[in-house]
Amino acid sequence: MQPFEPVIVAFCCHYCAYTAADMAGSQRLCYPPNVKIVRVPCSGKVDAIHIMTAFQKGVDGVYVAGCLDGDCHFKNGNIRASKRVVYVRRLLEEIGIEPERLEMVKISAGMGERFARIAGQFTEKIRKLGPNPVKRAESPAA
Amino acid sequence: MITAERKPLEEIINCVKPFERILLVGCNECVTVCAAGGRKEVGIVSSALQMAFLKQGKNLQIKEHTLERQCDPEYVEELSTMITGVDAVVSMACGCGVQEVARRFKTVPVFPAVNTKFMGASERQGIWAERCQGCGDCLLGVTGGICPIARCSKQLLNGPCGGSGSGKCEISPDVDCAWHLIWERLKALGLQDRYEQIIPAKDWRTGRGGGPRKIIREDLAE
Amino acid sequence: MTQLTQRFQTREKVLVVGGGIGGMRAALDLAESGKNVVLIDTSNAIGGLMTQLDRTFPTNNCDLCTLSPTMSEENRKRRIHLMPLTRLTGLEGQAGHFTATLVSEPRHIDMSLCTACGQCQRSFPERVNFNPGLDHRAPTCMRYPQLTPQAFSISGASDEEFKKLAHCCPAGAIRPDQTQQQTQMHVASVVLATGADIFDPAQLDYLAYGKDPDVVTSLEYERIVSASGPTKGELVRPSDGRAPKKVAWIQCVGSRGLQKGEASYCSSVCCMFALKEAIVTRERFGDDIETTIFYTDMRTFGKNYEDYLNRGREQYGVRLIRSRPHSIVRQPGDQGLRIAHCLGNESALQEELFDMVVLSTGFCIPKETREMADQLGIALNRHGFVETGQFNPVATSKEGIYVCGMLESPKDIAETMIQASAAACRAASHLPNAAAGSKDENQVYPPELDVSSEAPKVGIFICSCGENIGGLVDVKALAAQAAALPDVTLSEVLDHGCSREAMETIRQAIESRTINRVVIGGCSPRTHEIRFQETLRKAGLNKYLLEIANLRDQTTWVHHDHPAQAAEKAGLLIKAAVSAVKAARALEDQSLPINRDVLVVGGGVSGMTAALRLAGQGFKIYLAERMSVLGGVAALVHRTIEGGDIQAFVRELIQKTMEHKNIQVMTNAFIVDHSGMPGMFKTGLQAGPQMFYRQISHGAVIMATGAMPSRPGHYLLDEHAAVMTQLDADALLEEKPDTVSGWDNVVMVQCVGSRCEENTNCSRLCCQSAVKNALRIVQINPKARIFVLYRDMRTYGFYEDYYRQAREKGVIFIQYDKDTPPRAAASGAHVEITFTDPILARLVSVEADAVLLSTGFVNEDENTEDLAAIFNLARTTGGYLLEDHIKLRPADLAKPGFFVAGTAHAPKNIKESLAQAEAAAARVICLLAKEKINIGAAVAKVDSSKCAGCLICVRACPFDIPYINTDGYSQIDPARCHGCGVCASECPAKAIQLTRFEDNQILAKLNGLLERMVA
């Protein structure tokens, strides 16, 4: 059996987190390839349904990455996103999916190093949690 | 507006456990406004249910649809094209909507996905509070626009009880004393005298005392 | 030669001499602000030196990718008349009314017919130029493929050869009878940007350059590792084609020297250049290659460059040895090149063998440039660079002629860009006012095709980005895999996706294959989306039918440790992009009229200069200063290192600012709120003694908020009377010079509060300040013994002259290590300073009458923090404002509509601050010269049939834009919507969609990434 490689989606706001990811690139800071970035204009744009759909489709972990507190290009989109993440974590818990699989993180545009570090830490955490139970049940043979 | 809150997912899951294909129906009126059963919540609950069953290796088929208003038969009729092949309906409307769907589709079980709570107002984004109990005989004209039936824990009609302190009700410091509010409001209106007028005992036959109620507008009714 | 179109026949134009990065930036800034430009270059194509570089520090980005889009910018065609193979031979008249004489060499190719097929060059490589002839030995300098204009030139062909050339040219473009042409032209002003030459190390025989093939210059090494270079990006030794295992860099070759032919100044960039080459070598060609830099002082004084140095040393293991080797000797057999050097404090010579030696050659001004300067009548300094004023950074000695880049002094790309924009700003002042606005002439695009009813036909173009993507991932296999995805019509690989040629390939493919959706697998959409959008538009497609998969910044650059997984991820990203682009819709950009007023925050020399330059071009300026008087930190300093009177300069600047009718000065002004977007900002201030609130409307902001002189409590500062900062000493030397006469021993300590844990970067100025004050002290008191305790003396550029002068006058410079700093102890009225002398290798104590601490700058105060929060500006870890692009857009902040000048950006001296102030002014004019401002297409749209009128969007919007209209539905004004999408994600009826980021687009992307797992 192949070792478990988690699939992780990071919703990144254009102004901070996505820029930080580019910054990590220009500094050649390695992080696990498990992390796939979906660009959104603001972390406040990430809908609860987008997160739920990702889990339903078998993602092992999701994090929403917005600007630092007080730095949101749109004033408070990151704060709304944080609250929404708490809400969706509760939903996940209700249906027996570890809420730790979803996280809100805050990164400023200049923090390439932080981006890479978070990507690494989150991937490790999910690796320990094992596959998304939805996926696990889906293909018991795998 | 009628307010509602989503039921714990576990309860909904238990209801639909025996079924393979369900129709999840939202309502674009009150429950949308109070963010309990609109198109968006339908999407979220649908996704949560599917995941919950996928975990157990079961692929629950869900059709999603949100009606303009679930408490009117003409709108409910829209479901007739979708109902075929469905084992059960889960309604995210208030109790009125659930019953309207159940009345129209006699052979398909209908389950509520929300708990209907009260008639209320939106205090600010994300917070709703009870304002009316539908007693059928409105007193607001004499109580300064604040309802003692809905907002006094004891439904007192003539002034606060001894449990009122610093403007709060004794049952919780989060609950305003309705009679305190009434007094402040009458004062602001210069109608302190009104406070002295005794409100006679209420005739509850206009409320639930007379059994299920009905309104008939002769000019409109066919 | 092409004839000047009518537009260029007027007097109202600027002549830019030199088509390198500086000349291009100046020309583009002028063009963007609606000015006409004639750009000449002696070479057959523009691009200059930067196009030879593989990557640039400190981001290690590929230059081609950042530069080539600049060169193909569309307005170049409209406002810039390009004249290659042309030189300036004379200039008559005066500012505003010059007549320039230009001489153009024949190209012998008709440009209107040439298709750049390259057949002529393949047949007659000796006669057809497609390279600048930089390397005289090997074919190491094929010119870059993104060439503009894309053409060849022929020189020295005989009649017979011309006949054969004409025969081989399929386009019939060969013109043997073309002759040299002379043109007279009226111009209002001139920008000189001819750059510098590389020092030829062959004249220093001890380095074996020119004799031993494995001794190369840093630029040749750059070509060897470059993807577009002769070895296609393979690192091999020229002598035998084998991969070297030990590479050495020798710094200061041709710089900081007194030997014959060497320049005495510092060439400023070679330390970073060598460091970059060493890092790239380790990163790209393997950890087993040992890289060693032999240096004099590591001069990494630019913004965040010290971090780069630390990264090179710690993360990449680049070996740094402070030593100047005296010879390179080839050892018998295959042993390699022997370098003898000293190691650390040891006096014995070490000998070490290397496979390859790179000479970090400096820069010098070629003879032709000196001749041109003579003809123009402009002054050169003693080193042959163009002389500029201490307080007038880009002005030559002749009014109306400006200079930028290496021609002024050795400097890096970022500083060249600053000077280029500054020169554009100054050159434009001789033309009619910019504030009058220039008519936007719409680029003529073909009409947009309506593809909404067509089935999706996706074209995929995967850029290998030189080695950046293709080096890690097999792009051909990736393209083949993507071709199998549903609805994909075409899947191709491009070498450099952003080159003009590649753009043309994409355009033709869209047209010929009737593609209606495009996916680019390349670099970040943040930097390149706009270029590809332009290509779609040219092909008649709506520009939003595009999706970019960021294969470079977010895959190959960050997963080079996992090539297989990187390839898999690249495949998934392409799949997700294909899936998303199918859900994309044609959209229309929103635009709004522009407000041309400018808010300048900060009334120091940078703020005032930017304000005056803009006011002079007719813009209305609000200048907000939080103190009660103008002047900033410069008002505390008395002398420049050259001896200039700063106080007099600041006084004059304040007077001009206060008197200018277009500038409204607000002192005691605090910014309290801010909203809007570029071209239509609103900022609230509380100003004046009464702190009245007022709100101003403006189109752009220049941040000139400065930095604070640092005052860390080290070395008894503020505890002992004999300890002071260099800034204190500057005042003392001016106001009470007699005090100095009594000083016997003076100790200066460098890097106090800089290059340390609390502030990792170099404060840049302190070395020049120390040298300046040392020279002033010895002038007053020649007997004073002055010890300067330093880590690396960073007297870059011509400041090296003052460093040498100080040593000649007996100032003693002693190096110390970060880990063993000097110690200070009070000793009555004296302070005893103890330090290790590296030559004696023992502790030495000095009883100092005065201790001068070089304390540098900090920018972490609450004020900057508050301002950054209110304006929402990103900052570096040191608190300095983060620019949009560290190399190419150093005066633009990352937030659109915001620009930066002076020490708010990074530590810099007054001259450098003034240059950036003028650059910021130029960049503002580029933004505000337009009539309308494009606000993009991401706006919230309400589907009224779904809206429940619940008010959730009304309450959620951070900008109060939605309202419930008389029909009971939410309405959102697209012109005012900021496009964050919060309403869309909160709407309980799912009645709101944010265009460009609609739910089905996001879900389609998730599908692309995830569907395989469930299906």
Side-chain angles (χ1 to χ4, degrees):
Chain A
M1 191 171 148
Q2 286 204 338
F4 166 56
E5 280 301 337
V7 177
I8 289 161
V9 167
F11 289 99
C12 290
C13 81
H14 175 82
Y15 287 93
C16 292
Y18 193 89
T19 309
D22 278 358
M23 195 73 84
S26 55
Q27 295 175 6
R28 312 294 194 279
L29 304 170
C30 287
Y31 57 85
N34 309 59
V35 176
K36 318 280 191 289
I37 292 169
V38 173
R39 181 167 67 130
V40 285
C42 172
S43 56
K45 169 74 184 78
V46 179
D47 198 312
I49 296 183
H50 302 157
I51 303 173
M52 293 293 279
T53 308
F55 279 106
Q56 198 182 328
K57 291 189 178 296
V59 81
D60 299 299
V62 172
Y63 61 94
V64 179
C67 309
L68 298 180
D69 282 344
D71 277 0
C72 174
H73 185 79
F74 302 106
K75 295 187 184 174
N76 60 358
N78 53 348
I79 295 170
R80 292 184 170 277
S82 302
K83 292 185 174 175
R84 213 169 292 145
V85 162
V86 171
Y87 170 74
V88 178
R89 278 171 70 118
R90 254 186 245 134
L91 281 171
L92 292 174
E93 200 168 9
E94 279 193 65
I95 53 174
I97 293 174
E98 301 89 338
E100 300 79 28
R101 293 185 186 274
L102 172 63
E103 229 180 79
M104 175 81 201
V105 299
K106 290 174 183 169
I107 306 172
S108 89
M111 296 178 165
E113 198 272 329
R114 180 175 161 83
F115 184 91
R117 194 176 62 236
I118 287 176
Q121 286 168 351
F122 190 78
T123 306
E124 261 331 288
K125 186 173 85 173
I126 301 300
R127 200 189 298 279
K128 287 204 183 84
L129 279 174
N132 175 351
V134 171
K135 191 168 54 174
R136 217 157 37 198
E138 181 75 13
S139 48
Chain B
M1 144 189 68
I2 297 169
T3 61
E5 222 176 11
R6 180 174 51 73
K7 280 178 177 288
L9 285 168
E10 196 183 352
E11 189 182 334
I12 309 172
I13 290 165
N14 281 333
C15 291
V16 299
K17 213 172 248 167
F19 308 108
E20 301 294 325
R21 290 170 298 267
I22 64 166
L23 176 60
L24 187 60
V25 191
C27 172
N28 206 31
E29 286 284 350
C30 311
V31 290
T32 293
V33 178
C34 69
R39 220 166 266 111
K40 169 163 188 148
E41 302 303 316
V42 166
I44 291 172
V45 168
S46 163
S47 183
L49 287 180
Q50 289 182 63
M51 269 194 268
F53 285 105
L54 270 177
K55 265 178 65 196
Q56 295 152 19
K58 169 171 162 181
N59 202 351
L60 178 69
Q61 305 282 314
I62 303 184
K63 284 189 208 170
E64 297 170 29
H65 190 69
T66 297
L67 296 174
E68 187 56 37
R69 196 155 59 239
Q70 241 183 83
C71 52
D72 271 317
E74 289 88 342
Y75 287 124
V76 173
E77 197 55 38
E78 275 177 36
L79 299 179
S80 58
T81 55
M82 295 167 219
I83 204 96
T84 39
V86 163
D87 308 327
V89 176
V90 176
S91 165
M92 297 201 57
C94 68
C96 314
V98 180
Q99 294 180 58
E100 204 43 40
V101 173
R103 191 177 66 84
R104 168 64 183 81
F105 302 105
K106 301 207 164 33
T107 56
V108 186
V110 179
F111 299 97
V114 303
N115 290 321
T116 307
K117 303 288 275 198
F118 50 76
M119 284 180 274
S122 150
E123 282 189 342
R124 57 194 152 91
Q125 183 87 311
I127 299 178
W128 296 271
E130 181 156 23
R131 291 286 183 267
C132 176
Q133 291 206 332
C135 72
D137 181 18
C138 192
L139 284 174
L140 287 167
V142 292
T143 57
I146 291 152
C147 177
I149 307 293
R151 300 177 71 178
C152 168
S153 306
K154 293 179 177 171
Q155 302 187 331
L156 294 183
L157 291 179
N158 290 289
C161 68
S164 173
S166 311
K168 297 292 174 187
C169 174
E170 65 180 334
I171 66 154
S172 160
D174 296 333
V175 177
D176 290 323
C177 169
W179 276 104
H180 179 86
L181 294 176
I182 292 168
W183 167 246
E184 291 294 330
R185 169 93 174 140
L186 290 175
K187 223 169 43 174
L189 293 167
L191 296 173
Q192 289 95 326
D193 295 351
R194 177 107 24 113
Y195 188 69
E196 299 299 325
Q197 291 173 19
I198 302 293
I199 301 174
K202 196 166 165 59
D203 178 355
W204 286 104
R205 281 173 303 178
T206 58
R208 287 287 296 135
R213 292 167 285 177
K214 205 173 243 185
I215 297 171
I216 299 170
R217 271 281 297 265
E218 303 281 359
D219 55 335
L220 293 175
E222 281 162 14
Chain C
M1 216 196 89
T2 47
Q3 287 300 303
L4 286 179
T5 56
Q6 199 171 7
R7 179 201 295 284
F8 291 97
Q9 283 166 7
T10 73
R11 183 178 297 280
E12 290 168 5
K13 59 183 178 290
V14 178
L15 174 67
V16 177
V17 184
I21 183 85
M24 275 193 295
R25 178 77 271 158
L28 285 167
D29 277 356
L30 284 161
E32 217 178 312
S33 54
K35 309 286 192 261
N36 297 322
V37 181
V38 173
L39 175 61
I40 67 170
D41 195 292
T42 51
S43 154
N44 63 343
I46 57 174
L49 184 62
M50 186 180 171
T51 55
Q52 308 280 306
L53 306 182
D54 176 47
R55 281 144 204 252
T56 57
F57 55 80
T59 53
N60 290 7
N61 277 358
C62 160
D63 284 313
L64 291 171
C65 313
T66 39
L67 181 66
S68 55
T70 316
M71 285 196 284
S72 59
E73 258 174 53
E74 267 312 306
N75 48 11
R76 188 181 62 72
K77 273 192 217 146
R78 293 181 291 146
R79 294 255 177 218
I80 302 176
H81 179 77
L82 184 63
M83 296 173 69
L85 299 166
T86 300
R87 63 185 197 276
L88 174 63
T89 59
L91 191 71
E92 304 297 323
Q94 51 197 315
H97 304 275
F98 286 122
T99 303
T101 307
L102 306 176
V103 173
S104 304
E105 299 303 323
R107 185 186 285 277
H108 296 302
I109 293 173
D110 185 337
M111 299 278 287
S112 60
L113 297 177
C114 173
T115 60
C117 66
Q119 186 59 46
C120 53
Q121 202 218 4
R122 281 189 293 278
S123 311
F124 294 88
E126 292 299 310
R127 294 287 168 253
V128 178
N129 308 311
F130 193 57
N131 63 64
L134 180 83
D135 188 326
H136 53 277
R137 295 170 302 161
T140 49
C141 32
M142 181 192 94
R143 198 131 205 210
Y144 64 107
Q146 287 97 328
L147 198 74
T148 301
Q150 186 141 37
F152 299 76
S153 70
I154 299 167
S155 53
S158 65
D159 288 350
E160 190 58 29
E161 283 166 331
F162 265 126
K163 266 188 204 150
K164 287 181 184 160
L165 274 163
H167 186 70
C168 87
C169 175
I174 306 296
R175 293 288 173 273
D177 44 359
Q178 273 184 358
T179 53
Q180 197 184 58
Q181 300 268 324
Q182 184 168 318
T183 316
Q184 301 261 316
M185 183 183 281
H186 294 298
V187 296
S189 51
V190 179
V191 174
L192 301 176
T194 52
D197 265 6
I198 313 269
F199 174 80
D200 178 7
Q203 52 197 292
L204 303 174
D205 52 3
Y206 65 94
L207 293 171
Y209 180 80
K211 297 190 201 96
D212 196 301
D214 293 339
V215 179
V216 298
T217 66
S218 43
L219 197 60
E220 286 163 351
Y221 189 78
E222 192 82 17
R223 296 306 299 157
I224 292 174
V225 297
S226 169
S228 64
T231 57
K232 303 273 179 221
E234 287 295 308
L235 172 57
V236 292
R237 204 157 68 163
S239 61
D240 57 5
R242 277 165 49 190
K245 285 292 161 211
K246 281 186 82 172
V247 184
W249 278 260
I250 296 178
Q251 298 305 102
C252 303
V253 174
S255 307
R256 302 184 67 186
L258 296 172
Q259 295 210 46
K260 195 170 174 282
E262 283 186 309
S264 60
Y265 51 83
C266 160
S267 290
S268 297
V269 298
C270 330
C271 285
M272 282 296 281
F273 204 121
L275 205 49
K276 174 198 68 181
E277 290 186 341
I279 290 176
V280 167
T281 300
R282 301 273 292 181
E283 185 181 80
R284 279 195 30 217
F285 303 103
D287 288 347
D288 59 331
I289 302 178
E290 191 184 278
T291 54
T292 308
I293 299 177
F294 292 100
Y295 69 98
T296 321
D297 292 281
M298 275 317 278
R299 292 190 166 170
T300 50
F301 54 86
K303 187 176 186 177
N304 289 353
Y305 288 0
E306 188 75 11
D307 288 342
Y308 192 75
L309 171 64
N310 292 334
R311 219 160 63 226
R313 187 168 40 207
E314 286 149 27
Q315 189 183 332
Y316 290 96
V318 175
R319 204 165 143 236
L320 298 168
I321 296 176
R322 185 190 293 273
S323 176
R324 204 162 174 163
H326 69 69
S327 59
I328 301 171
V329 182
R330 167 70 66 185
Q331 292 306 98
D334 192 26
Q335 295 179 51
L337 298 155
R338 188 192 71 203
I339 292 182
H341 63 87
C342 295
L343 199 62
N345 297 338
E346 289 165 29
S347 48
L349 272 185
Q350 305 269 333
E351 289 193 347
E352 207 173 326
L353 295 171
F354 293 92
D355 299 324
M356 229 177 134
V357 177
V358 184
L359 306 178
S360 289
T361 41
F363 299 92
C364 53
I365 294 299
K367 195 170 96 265
E368 303 81 65
T369 306
R370 295 175 194 232
E371 286 165 8
M372 180 183 74
D374 280 349
Q375 277 157 358
L376 301 182
I378 57 168
L380 301 178
N381 70 9
R382 54 185 288 252
H383 302 296
F385 289 77
V386 173
E387 183 87 50
T388 53
Q390 282 180 56
F391 301 115
N392 209 351
V394 296
T396 68
S397 60
K398 190 162 176 178
E399 206 202 337
I401 304 181
Y402 302 94
V403 62
C404 65
M406 286 272 193
L407 179 57
E408 191 268 339
S409 66
K411 59 176 64 69
D412 67 8
I413 292 167
E415 284 185 65
T416 297
M417 294 308 251
I418 288 175
Q419 282 198 337
S421 288
C425 170
R426 300 299 305 280
S429 68
H430 300 281
L431 297 167
N433 275 350
S438 63
K439 283 263 174 280
D440 276 343
E441 288 149 78
N442 284 330
Q443 166 76 28
V444 191
Y445 287 124
E448 247 176 54
L449 305 164
D450 178 9
V451 299
S452 57
S453 55
E454 294 174 11
K457 290 174 77 178
V458 183
I460 302 172
F461 300 91
I462 295 171
C463 173
S464 87
C465 197
E467 287 287 297
N468 284 295
I469 296 171
L472 189 76
V473 167
D474 180 350
V475 282
K476 286 213 176 89
L478 188 61
Q481 179 193 334
L485 293 169
D487 304 314
V488 171
T489 304
L490 175 75
S491 180
E492 276 186 3
V493 171
L494 303 167
D495 268 350
H496 289 280
C498 51
S499 67
R500 222 169 57 141
E501 188 189 4
M503 292 287 184
E504 189 53 25
T505 308
I506 298 173
R507 189 188 65 77
Q508 285 173 5
I510 294 172
E511 287 174 0
S512 64
R513 305 287 299 270
T514 59
I515 287 165
N516 58 24
R517 300 281 193 288
V518 175
V519 166
I520 304 291
C523 56
S524 179
R526 287 175 52 254
T527 51
H528 280 67
E529 191 165 60
I530 191 164
R531 310 282 150 219
F532 291 108
Q533 285 181 336
E534 193 181 288
T535 301
L536 261 69
R537 232 5 239 103
K538 279 189 200 157
L541 274 187
N542 182 280
K543 66 183 188 181
Y544 292 105
L545 300 171
L546 167 76
E547 189 72 39
I548 296 181
N550 194 339
L551 301 186
R552 189 189 70 179
D553 303 49
Q554 296 176 5
T555 307
T556 53
W557 273 359
V558 287
H559 305 320
H560 47 85
D561 53 343
H562 289 97
Q565 279 178 285
E568 191 190 341
K569 175 170 171 180
L572 272 178
L573 293 186
I574 295 285
K575 181 155 153 265
V578 169
S579 176
V581 83
K582 287 195 272 180
R585 290 193 292 147
L587 299 171
E588 202 178 323
D589 280 346
Q590 303 289 324
S591 66
L592 290 168
I594 216 162
N595 178 322
R596 291 212 168 83
D597 301 344
V598 181
L599 170 65
V600 176
V601 187
V605 290
S606 304
M608 286 190 284
T609 302
L612 281 167
R613 294 298 175 217
L614 285 167
Q617 298 210 29
F619 290 88
K620 187 176 171 193
I621 312 298
Y622 298 97
L623 178 62
E625 166 58 46
R626 101 189 130 110
M627 308 298 273
S628 57
V629 289
L630 298 177
V633 174
L636 305 173
V637 196
H638 294 79
R639 293 280 160 196
T640 63
I641 194 167
E642 296 92 345
D645 185 345
I646 298 173
Q647 301 283 307
F649 166 69
V650 173
R651 275 195 303 275
E652 193 192 332
L653 200 58
I654 293 175
Q655 195 191 352
K656 278 192 203 154
T657 307
M658 298 300 287
E659 284 170 0
H660 204 292
K661 64 177 179 13
N662 287 348
I663 303 179
Q664 199 183 112
V665 175
M666 295 174 285
T667 48
N668 293 312
F670 290 84
I671 310 282
V672 290
D673 59 62
H674 174 80
S675 63
M677 54 185 77
M680 46 180 298
F681 290 123
K682 277 192 169 58
T683 301
L685 304 101
Q686 283 180 318
Q690 271 82 38
M691 284 287 135
F692 285 128
Y693 178 85
R694 66 177 292 198
Q695 192 181 54
I696 56 171
S697 299
H698 54 105
V701 185
I702 292 179
M703 296 296 290
T705 47
M708 296 296 290
S710 156
R711 208 174 174 87
H714 303 321
Y715 299 98
L716 305 176
L717 182 62
D718 294 325
E719 287 172 38
H720 195 290
V723 183
M724 64 191 87
T725 64
Q726 297 286 3
L727 196 57
D728 298 336
D730 172 84
L732 192 72
L733 283 161
E734 197 70 19
E735 285 153 13
K736 296 180 196 157
D738 293 348
T739 324
V740 177
S741 313
W743 289 353
D744 291 330
N745 289 322
V746 180
V747 177
M748 297 187 181
V749 186
Q750 300 305 106
C751 300
V752 178
S754 304
R755 305 180 65 194
C756 54
E757 274 72 35
E758 67 213 63
N759 172 21
T760 52
N761 273 296
C762 166
S763 289
R764 184 179 180 123
L765 290 188
C766 332
C767 285
Q768 15 179 317
S769 302
V771 168
K772 170 184 78 174
N773 286 341
L775 284 170
R776 284 159 87 193
I777 293 168
V778 289
Q779 194 183 9
I780 297 168
N781 177 6
K783 286 192 207 129
R785 276 190 295 175
I786 305 177
F787 301 89
V788 180
L789 309 180
Y790 71 97
R791 287 173 54 195
D792 289 280
M793 277 310 285
R794 292 182 170 174
T795 44
Y796 55 90
F798 306 134
Y799 300 122
E800 183 72 11
D801 288 345
Y802 296 93
Y803 177 34
R804 198 181 50 258
Q805 229 177 70
R807 281 176 291 160
E808 282 163 4
K809 299 219 158 146
V811 178
I812 300 165
F813 289 84
I814 298 164
Q815 200 261 331
Y816 76 88
D817 280 335
K818 185 182 167 215
D819 304 327
T820 51
R823 290 194 307 273
S827 166
H830 296 95
V831 172
E832 189 183 57
I833 301 278
T834 309
F835 54 89
T836 309
D837 185 309
I839 295 170
L840 303 175
R842 54 182 278 196
L843 285 178
V844 174
S845 289
V846 176
E847 284 274 311
D849 300 278
V851 177
L852 274 53
L853 305 180
S854 297
T855 46
F857 277 110
V858 284
N859 207 343
E860 294 234 67
D861 62 322
E862 280 175 19
N863 181 54
T864 336
E865 201 170 319
D866 288 350
L867 275 178
I870 293 169
F871 287 130
N872 210 339
L873 301 173
R875 297 195 299 160
T876 64
T877 42
Y880 293 94
L881 294 172
L882 185 69
E883 60 274 52
D884 190 41
H885 191 290
I886 193 165
K887 301 243 53 116
L888 299 179
R889 288 151 71 88
D892 297 42
L893 289 177
K895 180 168 171 173
F898 279 71
F899 303 87
V900 64
T903 51
H905 164 257
K908 49 176 71 78
N909 66 26
I910 290 182
K911 189 174 179 179
E912 292 156 353
S913 294
L914 297 178
Q916 201 178 17
E918 292 175 347
R923 300 297 298 152
V924 165
I925 298 171
C926 290
L927 171 71
L928 300 185
K930 299 178 181 76
E931 285 194 314
K932 285 187 167 172
I933 193 132
N934 187 321
I935 54 170
V939 290
K941 288 241 158 81
V942 180
D943 178 348
S944 62
S945 72
K946 289 181 175 172
C947 175
C950 71
L951 291 164
I952 283 180
C953 57
V954 176
R955 293 168 183 156
C957 175
F959 306 99
D960 295 329
I961 311 299
Y963 64 97
I964 304 296
N965 64 18
T966 49
D967 294 330
Y969 302 121
S970 166
Q971 191 161 324
I972 298 174
D973 179 359
R976 294 176 64 219
C977 174
H978 289 228
C980 67
V982 160
C983 55
S985 60
E986 301 238 328
C987 173
K990 294 261 72 167
I992 308 180
Q993 290 291 341
L994 183 71
T995 55
R996 288 204 74 188
F997 295 94
E998 294 182 36
D999 284 324
N1000 60 347
Q1001 287 172 283
I1002 291 179
L1003 293 178
K1005 196 170 274 183
L1006 286 174
N1007 255 333
L1009 286 176
L1010 304 170
E1011 71 190 347
R1012 203 175 46 149
M1013 299 187 304
V1014 171

